[in-house]
Amino acid sequence: MRILLLNGVNLNMLGKRNPEFYGYFTLEELERQVTVYAEKKGVLIYCRHSNCEGELADILQQTDCDAVIFNAGAYSHYSYALRDCIECLGVPVAEVHLSDIEKRESFRHTDVLTDVCVARFMGKGLQSYFDAVDYLLSIDGSKHEG
Ligand code: DQA
């Protein structure tokens, strides 16, 4: 199975940004840890990042992976463009957040991506990403060998 790991706006600032919510690890470290975790389960991870909404849509539309793990960052709260993109993608998208967005500021409680994603994992730091790998593996219809 092949999974696109897509991190969106401001996730490249991990390690420098609000560690009380996001931890002290960098985006590179996050990508490495998810890749190692997934490899043990025979899953290949393809890592991408962008701060730009349109580029995130391009990356999603162009993926040839079987599934996607997506942390859209703040775009999750208002991007109908990314919502529409996910809706017609044709591969399952698991939404992740490092922090628990329902326990933070009220503007983060709105999440326009949830209803078009197959699942949402949040509030557990890196474990949110690991849980997304496990979930996508459990619903995998591709049966590709990693
Ligand atoms: C986030 C939560 C969002 O509200 C925030 O804008 C982010 C990161 C998370 O991973 O907890 O950039 O998606």
Side-chain angles (χ1 to χ4, degrees):
M1 184 188 192
R2 296 143 50 91
I3 295 179
L4 170 66
L5 171 58
L6 182 56
N7 283 290
V9 62
N10 293 318
L11 273 307
N12 58 313
M13 297 303 285
L14 288 178
K16 298 180 189 141
R17 175 190 181 209
N18 306 81
E20 68 279 19
F21 290 116
Y22 306 127
Y24 288 93
F25 49 84
T26 62
L27 177 59
E28 203 176 43
E29 178 66 7
L30 180 155
E31 290 174 343
R32 198 185 64 78
Q33 293 231 28
V34 176
T35 301
V36 168
Y37 180 85
E39 258 172 15
K40 288 183 194 147
K41 297 171 182 246
V43 176
L44 282 177
I45 298 286
Y46 295 81
C47 301
R48 296 292 303 272
H49 162 265
S50 177
N51 282 323
C52 304
E53 188 179 24
E55 193 178 348
L56 289 165
D58 284 342
I59 293 168
L60 287 166
Q61 289 170 7
Q62 287 160 14
T63 190
D64 59 358
C65 288
D66 307 302
V68 181
I69 295 173
F70 189 22
N71 184 348
Y75 289 137
S76 315
H77 310 305
Y78 63 90
S79 176
Y80 296 117
L82 290 174
R83 184 212 172 278
D84 287 354
C85 176
I86 293 168
E87 186 177 31
C88 63
L89 205 58
V91 295
V93 178
E95 179 186 0
V96 294
H97 299 283
L98 292 158
S99 63
D100 185 344
I101 57 176
E102 293 193 338
K103 294 196 174 134
R104 298 182 60 193
E105 304 95 315
S106 58
F107 74 88
R108 295 185 205 275
H109 302 178
T110 301
D111 186 339
V112 302
L113 306 184
T114 305
D115 75 309
V116 289
C117 290
V118 291
R120 181 172 73 167
F121 299 94
M122 64 181 188
K124 293 188 186 170
L126 275 177
Q127 187 64 44
S128 304
Y129 287 76
F130 298 157
D131 289 349
V133 170
D134 290 339
Y135 180 78
L136 291 173
L137 196 52
S138 77
I139 62 160
D140 179 31
S142 74
K143 302 297 169 216
H144 289 174
E145 287 306 311

